[in-house]
Structure formats: structure tokens, C-alpha cells
Amino acid sequence: MALLEVDDLSVTFARRGQRTVHAVDGVSFSVDAGEVVGLVGESGCGKSVTSLAIMGLLPKQPGLRVGGKAVFDGTDLLQLDDRSRRDIRGRDIAMIFQDPLSSLNPVIPIGLQVTEVLTRHRGMKGEAAAKEAAELLDRVGIPDPRRRLKEYPHQLSGGMRQRALIAMAVACRPRLLIADEPTTALDVTIQAQILELLKELVRDSGTALVMITHDLGVVAGMCDTINVLYAGRVVETARRRPLFAAPRHPYTVGLLGSIPRLDSGRGERLTPIPGSVRDLLPWPDGCAFAPRCTRRVDDCVGAPPELVLAHDDRSYRCVNPAPVPGREPDSAFAPQTGAVAAGASDAAAPAEAASREEESA
Amino acid sequence: MTGSENLVEVRDLKVHFPIKRGVVFDKVVGHVKAVDGVDLSIPRGRTYGLVGESGCGKSTLGRALLQLTPPTGGEVRFDGVDLTRLSAGRLRSMRRRMQMIFQDPMSSLDPRQNVESILTEGLQAHGIGGSRDERRRIIGETLDAVGLPRWALSRYPHEFSGGQRQRIGIARALVLGPELIVADEPVSALDVSIQAQVVNLLDELQERLGLTYLVIAHDLAVVRHISDVVGVMYLGALVEEASGDQLYREPMHPYTRALMSAVPVPDPDVEDQRERILLSGDLPSPANPPSGCRFHTRCPWAQPTRCADERPVLRQIGGSKVACHFAERIASGELRPHRVTAEVVRPADEGDAPGVVSAPSEPGSYV
């Protein structure tokens, strides 16, 4: 039984006189205890809205509709009332945001913000809470924690603020931590520090981590399972190594092909994805990625592609997936509408055996 | 034309911003040394990549090179002419030959100007293209070069996506037929799939038009991809300069090593095996930089002698130029890295801290 099971989650924003926006459109994924799961995608793919919906942090406004299920340890988070949700939030599930300055209260000392969590969920008070808070800051690598407790967020650097935020998030030893672009606002050397810290915390406490990012490099070093999102749907799910060795969905292939890599030489041409995120087809009319896809066939338009379940826990939403390297390429016109048929044809391919060159194929 | 091999020669360039404090009368209480003694040359038709973390002075260097921010000292020679001594009028006519591409295409394009007007403005200012038809022709060719359709001319910036806006920014720079283009973070505001389009476009334009680039970016992978020579900056000075391949194969300066090992690579095999050098602490305040080697407070290889009191100069070692006293001994493995305890760094440093640091980051802001 998974720790968090998100099933067919959908979030729509409706506004009078405007087209309804399907920010998240039937996203399903699961997180096991102690597992690191990545949600990857470009801006507007719905990765942040997914996490906010799970946490119940979407602004309550008319026109907002959240559907589906997000079952955490047996309880559906989406059905909870605010009160019981507040009990879970911070204690069992915690979240780290992208911009530490805007998620910390600028007029309250760091210490008070950390002890607030301890008081609310662990009933600690006074000196005991302060001592625990100092230990937490020490644990996340903030030097001279006793003094830091009395300081305000503006007195800390960006990296230190992010550390303070992580300290608050792990204060109650949550079982699930959701990190929404935790390092995007930071410099690379600070990013490396924070990622290392997150890895340590996950390893030592057995906390499950949902890592939301646009950076495939970050994901490659951290996540056990990766979900690639496009236009509000998960288009490919795979374990880390198979995904990078042999991406199946053309969008994943395109993403990997368009990143300049530190270990590739000068002048090696990148293969960008043509068009922009704006050129998309609404899912009911076919595959949203079809207008930008290089492997487009006639079947792509008309109905949304079914989720194809392949071997070794991987699945993708594509009727004409990229071939697994080292194998005869699938016929471009092979009818693959049925999930079972395509899944069976995949079963023979050992994805790990794929060589590096094919990554950009 | 002097026919020299280098289009741009920068010697001992310095840009210091005064820190002012006071209630009625501003008093200068110190300086932020954003750029503090940089030498670099860019050969014709090549790309020089400048990397560094935020606050290292890379953007200021780019702006000072084009005289958008007046340098405090040093000289910038463009095709043999020292730009720092030119009169405003002469400088203006030189500007046609050196253009800039900015990071955020939305804030560097006037939302009330349509694309045609954006592109015509520069032509008119420099008196290029006698007639309207002539200008139309030049603009049309530029649009083709950057891959924008002709109907774009009558549209406004908000009607385009981020990648297309950046193409407009590139077209604006290109329309004057410049020789040098300074690109300040040209792709960092774009989505990954769009970044590649713009990077490829810059590459193509260079091949076709023989442009010289100075590319400024924080993303080492992007810089390595498009640059012939890469310069690494730390707190206002170059710490290492080498060809992209050399830098990747054999980073000499401890900071470069740490930077290299911190960049995530989208490949699980590489990620699991690489050796990581984690730097402790943050970038020190440029208003109050450490003495001696500016990196010594965070350097895992720092030695008790020389590092804290003698500022290393950039010197040639093998195929690279490195500013480190002990580069050879670190490369040979004679010196081993040690643990560094993090020092607390204030966003606005305590004590003799800047009240207001007026470093320009927005295009069009002058100090």
C-alpha cells in the first residue's frame, strides 16, 4: 500500500466569460514510504497546482474545482475539512516552496516561526521548544543556531533561508515532504548543498519526498520514480534509469535532447522541441503534444491517447512511442490503441542495456 | 581596421559602485567592487562565455564593456579603439557595431511598440537605410534570419511567446549589422525546450554572419555549449579562463572544480558516480570581500600561507589561465581538500554594510 496515492486528480479554474482552464487533468501517481518521486515538466504543465491541491492550499475561489482522490495513509485528503487537514499538514505532510523569502514571515524572527510548528503539533513550549528549534537549525546546517533563532528572514542569505524553511518542514518528522522547485531560486553551489541536505534527510528519517522541478538534472541524481507532465497530464512514468536510458514518450525524448549537457562538447547541435508550450491541442481532441511532436501519426488526433502500461513499472501516454534503442523500431503505423497490446510488445526489451547515444535519438 | 586578431581587449577593467549613507547629505561610506581588475580578449568570430554565481559581477562586466555602465578604471578596446576615452557622439556611432541581448525579453521590449517600430528605431537612430523601402528590406531579412514570420511586424510583444520574444530581442540587436553581441543570460528566462531553439539560433547566426559573442550566464552547461573560451568569475574577478573542453576535462581552480561538480547532469549514471565538492557557506558580500584570494574563506584547499593575504593573479598553467597560488600542487594531488566551516554571510553585511547598493540590473538603468 502506497503512502500517497493520487488518483485521477483534476483541477479546473472556471471564470465567467472565459474558457475553463484545466490546470491538472487526471493526474495519477503514487508515492511509497521512503521513496523519492519526481514531478517534472515545463511551466504551465500543472506540477505546482498538483502539489497545492494535495496540500489543500489552492485559494478558495468560485470556479475552482478539484476532482479525483489523493489518499494519504488511508484518508482522502481532498475530502477532509479544514480542521483535520491542518492537523495533518505540518505534522504528517510538509511542504517546501521555491522562494524562501516569500514563504517566511518577514516580521517574525526565525525562531518563533520554527517553534510555532513545534507548539502546534508537538505541544512543546518555552525553553524546550527553543532548544528543539536550535537543534533543528543545527541539523539543517545553519551555523550558530542559537543566535539565528532571534534573527529575521532578511538577515539570512538565500541558502540559509531555504535551510530554515526545511528545518520547519521536518520539525515534526513528517512522513511525506513535498518540495516545489526547492532550489530554482538558488545558485548552483547552494543548490548542491540543499539537494545534499534533502537527500540526507530522506535517507536518515525514511521520509518520502515528492520533488517538483523543471530540471531533469536534479531529478537524475535524486528520484527513484519520475513522472513527466505535459499540459496537465502525466505523459510518462518510469524508474530513474530506464527513463534516462530509453525515454519512450516523444516529449521526454525532446526534453532530454534540448538540454545542453556539461559533458557534451562545443558545437554539438541540440535538438529542440519545435513550437512552444502554447501550441497545444485540448486533451479531449487528441494528444496535447501532437502539434509539436516529431513522431506524430494520424492516430494522435481524434481521441486522447490511452495510458500504455509497459514492463518494469513504466507507463506512457503515446500511440507512437520512441523505439527502445537496440531493438527493431516499432512500425510507425502499428495500431497501438490497446494498452495490453503495446505493453506486451515491450516486455522483451531490457531498457537498462540501452547505450548512451540513443538518448538524443 | 587594425586587422588585429582580437575584436575586444579588456585591460584591468574596474567598476566600483559607491555606497552612500546619510540623512540629508549622502556620504560615500565605501564601494561595492562589482568588477575589480578583469583582463580578457575576445577573438573575432568567436564566443567568450562568462560564468559565475549571482553577484559575481558578470552582468556589470558586460554592461561596462559596452559602456552602458561607465567603468571606474581600466580600458576597453573595441577593434583597436579605446571606448572609455571616446566622446559621447563617437561612442554612439560605435554602438551600431556592438549590441546587447537581455535576459528578460518582456521587460526589455517596449510593450507599446510593435515589432516594426522596435526594429526601425535603431535603424533611424543610426541613419541606416535611406528610404522606407530600404529599411523594410533590411528588417525583412533580419526577421528571416531569426526565424520570425513577416506578419510579426504589426504585432506587439505581448502577443508572442517567451521564445519568440527573445527572437525579437535578437532581431533588434541584429538589425544594425553589429560585429559584437553581448548576450546577458539569453536563455535563462525560457523553458528548457525553448532554450535549445534560442541556443541553436545563436550558433547559426554566428556561423552565417561571423558574429563575435560575449555570452554571460550562470548556467555552466549552456555556456560550455556555445563558448569557445570560458571565463569563470568570482567576486568581481576572473579565477580561471580556458577553452570549454579544457575547463570540463581539467578544472584547475578550486572554485571551478566546485562549480563543475555542482551542476546536475541529466544522466543517472553520471550523477551516481561523480565526485562532489560541496562548498560551505555563501558568496561573501562584494562590499566587504575577503582579503587575499577572495575564495579562501570557502576554499577546501586553502593553505595557511599566502591565500589569506596575497591576491593571486591570473597566470598561464598548461592550457588554462588560473588565479590560484597552489593550482599546480592541487592538480598533482599533493594538496588534499579539507573541511571548511561555513561562515555566516549577511545579505546586507553587518558593520560597514551598504545601505543602498545601486548596482543596475535592469536594462536602461544608469548609475
Side-chain angles (χ1 to χ4, degrees):
Chain A
M1 173 82 196
L3 181 67
L4 174 73
E5 187 86 53
V6 177
D7 186 27
D8 199 27
L9 180 76
S10 67
V11 180
T12 53
F13 298 95
R15 211 183 260 174
R16 215 172 346 148
Q18 283 181 24
R19 222 165 26 143
T20 306
V21 178
H22 295 268
V24 178
D25 195 0
V27 163
S28 306
F29 65 93
S30 70
V31 185
D32 287 330
E35 194 187 21
V36 183
V37 172
L39 297 184
V40 190
E42 294 176 284
S43 46
C45 73
K47 52 191 194 300
S48 293
V49 176
T50 302
S51 65
L52 292 177
I54 296 169
M55 294 291 283
L57 290 174
L58 285 171
K60 293 204 171 35
Q61 58 185 45
L64 169 75
R65 254 232 178 80
V66 181
K69 276 195 281 192
V71 182
F72 176 78
D73 200 22
T75 41
D76 186 353
L77 296 173
L78 302 184
Q79 303 302 328
L80 289 180
D81 56 275
D82 286 352
R83 207 187 152 79
S84 29
R85 199 179 256 167
R86 274 200 298 271
D87 282 341
I88 288 187
R89 203 159 52 201
R91 192 187 62 201
D92 295 319
I93 310 179
M95 189 156 176
I96 305 167
F97 296 91
Q98 172 173 352
D99 182 4
L101 193 56
S102 57
S103 5
L104 289 168
N105 190 332
V107 293
I108 296 178
I110 299 286
L112 214 58
Q113 302 193 46
V114 180
T115 43
E116 188 185 3
V117 193
L118 298 170
T119 313
R120 171 73 173 76
H121 290 295
R122 288 169 65 179
M124 298 174 94
K125 282 200 187 71
E127 183 53 27
K131 189 159 172 274
E132 178 70 18
E135 267 168 33
L136 281 166
L137 292 190
D138 189 45
R139 188 158 160 239
V140 297
I142 296 182
D144 197 2
R146 277 279 167 179
R147 230 179 102 202
R148 287 318 135 232
L149 286 177
K150 297 191 194 75
E151 291 182 346
Y152 291 87
H154 75 269
Q155 292 174 292
L156 300 181
S157 66
M160 286 299 155
R161 279 178 212 140
Q162 195 60 287
R163 282 171 195 269
L165 213 60
I166 294 175
M168 288 162 62
V170 299
C172 299
R173 300 191 169 268
R175 282 183 289 165
L176 177 67
L177 192 59
I178 299 178
D180 187 357
E181 303 264 15
T183 58
T184 309
L186 307 173
D187 275 319
V188 260
T189 55
I190 310 296
Q191 163 171 297
Q193 293 172 4
I194 298 292
L195 291 180
E196 199 58 38
L197 173 66
L198 283 174
K199 272 189 215 169
E200 261 174 45
L201 288 173
V202 169
R203 203 170 44 221
D204 298 348
S205 60
T207 303
L209 176 66
V210 175
M211 186 85 186
I212 296 167
T213 177
H214 69 281
D215 191 335
L216 280 167
V218 168
V219 168
M222 279 196 86
C223 299
D224 302 311
T225 304
I226 293 156
N227 298 287
V228 182
L229 276 81
Y230 189 78
R233 289 200 184 186
V234 177
V235 293
E236 182 159 10
T237 303
R239 309 286 298 173
R240 178 170 74 125
R241 282 173 192 279
L243 184 82
F244 284 93
R248 300 302 307 275
H249 197 283
Y251 177 61
T252 320
V253 177
L255 272 186
L256 285 170
S258 49
I259 310 175
R261 287 174 54 147
L262 194 59
D263 49 358
S264 70
R266 153 92 173 117
E268 277 175 34
R269 269 293 142 85
L270 303 171
T271 28
I273 305 176
S276 81
V277 199
R278 279 190 188 179
D279 316 317
L280 53 84
L281 206 62
W283 279 108
D285 301 344
C287 175
F289 187 59
R292 301 173 71 191
C293 186
T294 47
R295 300 185 58 82
R296 183 177 54 233
V297 291
D298 291 346
D299 283 349
C300 293
V301 188
E306 297 281 329
L307 192 70
V308 180
L309 299 170
H311 69 297
D312 65 7
D313 300 338
R314 87 190 293 185
S315 58
Y316 46 86
R317 208 180 274 282
C318 182
V319 293
N320 184 25
V324 172
R327 234 173 26 116
E328 285 294 298
D330 300 356
S331 160
F333 300 100
Q336 293 194 349
T337 37
V340 187
S345 76
D346 275 335
E352 278 88 345
S355 57
R356 185 78 35 78
E357 297 85 72
E358 264 80 10
E359 231 173 69
S360 55
Chain B
M1 284 283 171
T2 54
S4 92
E5 195 185 329
N6 293 330
L7 182 65
V8 179
E9 296 257 10
V10 174
R11 290 290 158 258
D12 198 27
L13 188 69
K14 287 189 177 123
V15 184
H16 296 178
F17 297 113
I19 302 165
K20 289 178 181 160
R21 206 177 263 174
V23 184
V24 182
F25 299 105
D26 280 351
K27 210 168 66 183
V28 175
V29 293
H31 284 93
V32 172
K33 296 176 178 173
V35 178
D36 200 19
V38 168
D39 292 335
L40 60 86
S41 354
I42 311 175
R44 245 174 244 280
R46 293 306 181 87
T47 306
Y48 191 100
L50 206 54
V51 273
E53 294 179 283
S54 46
C56 73
K58 53 189 191 304
S59 293
T60 308
L61 175 57
R63 297 176 61 88
L65 200 142
L66 296 185
Q67 310 296 307
L68 293 173
T69 301
T72 317
E75 58 179 44
V76 179
R77 288 189 173 275
F78 177 81
D79 202 9
V81 183
D82 186 357
L83 298 180
T84 53
R85 287 171 210 280
L86 281 188
S87 66
R90 291 281 312 285
L91 184 61
R92 207 180 145 95
S93 55
M94 281 298 261
R95 284 251 167 78
R96 189 185 70 75
R97 300 170 59 191
M98 37 187 194
Q99 287 292 308
M100 188 150 185
I101 301 170
F102 297 98
Q103 169 173 3
D104 182 3
M106 202 58 229
S107 62
S108 58
L109 298 173
D110 186 342
R112 293 163 304 178
Q113 273 184 303
N114 65 19
V115 174
E116 181 168 14
S117 145
I118 289 172
L119 297 181
T120 319
E121 199 176 22
L123 292 179
Q124 277 172 341
H126 288 284
I128 305 170
S131 64
R132 197 185 157 88
D133 288 341
E134 173 73 6
R135 283 202 288 269
R136 275 258 157 107
R137 189 186 57 76
I138 298 175
I139 289 174
E141 281 170 7
T142 313
L143 282 186
D144 290 344
V146 299
L148 282 173
R150 297 289 170 112
W151 52 254
L153 284 178
S154 56
R155 305 292 176 97
Y156 290 84
H158 75 267
E159 297 176 81
F160 295 91
S161 66
Q164 284 172 316
R165 270 181 221 144
Q166 196 56 296
R167 283 175 199 266
I168 300 172
I170 295 174
R172 176 177 59 184
L174 221 55
V175 77
L176 300 175
E179 290 155 60
L180 171 73
I181 289 188
V182 175
D184 190 358
E185 301 275 10
V187 298
S188 56
L190 307 173
D191 263 324
V192 221
S193 64
I194 310 300
Q195 279 191 6
Q197 296 176 4
V198 173
V199 166
N200 279 358
L201 175 64
L202 289 174
D203 256 348
E204 274 164 37
L205 291 173
Q206 180 167 48
E207 261 168 46
R208 212 166 55 207
L209 305 171
L211 296 169
T212 308
Y213 289 140
L214 174 68
V215 176
I216 300 164
H218 70 279
D219 188 337
L220 198 51
V222 168
V223 166
R224 166 163 154 76
H225 187 86
I226 49 180
S227 310
D228 298 295
V229 180
V230 178
V232 182
M233 266 184 103
Y234 187 80
L235 274 184
L238 282 174
V239 295
E240 182 161 0
E241 185 187 288
S243 76
D245 290 337
Q246 169 78 17
L247 198 73
Y248 175 72
R249 225 177 21 246
E250 207 185 351
M252 301 281 281
H253 196 279
Y255 178 64
T256 320
R257 287 182 165 219
L259 203 59
M260 284 278 183
S261 81
V263 179
V265 173
D267 187 334
D269 299 325
V270 177
E271 278 292 311
D272 290 353
Q273 281 162 19
R274 51 211 290 242
E275 161 207 26
R276 278 204 197 282
I277 304 166
L278 280 185
L279 291 182
S280 56
D282 302 288
L283 197 75
S285 158
N288 188 15
S291 62
C293 173
R294 288 174 170 196
F295 187 56
H296 85 266
T297 50
R298 298 169 79 196
C299 180
W301 283 272
Q303 298 299 311
T305 54
R306 298 183 78 188
C307 287
D309 35 55
E310 191 183 333
R311 195 172 162 189
V313 290
L314 213 57
R315 60 204 169 95
Q316 191 84 33
I317 302 173
S320 322
K321 282 184 187 164
V322 191
C324 174
H325 295 306
F326 299 99
E328 295 96 336
R329 289 170 65 192
I330 293 170
S332 68
E334 188 189 332
L335 295 180
R336 307 299 304 166
H338 49 77
R339 252 188 94 77
V340 182
T341 41
E343 284 181 21
V344 177
V345 175
R346 304 282 161 186
D349 214 70
E350 280 172 343
D352 52 347
V356 186
V357 179
S358 45
S361 57
E362 289 303 312
S365 68
Y366 289 82
V367 172

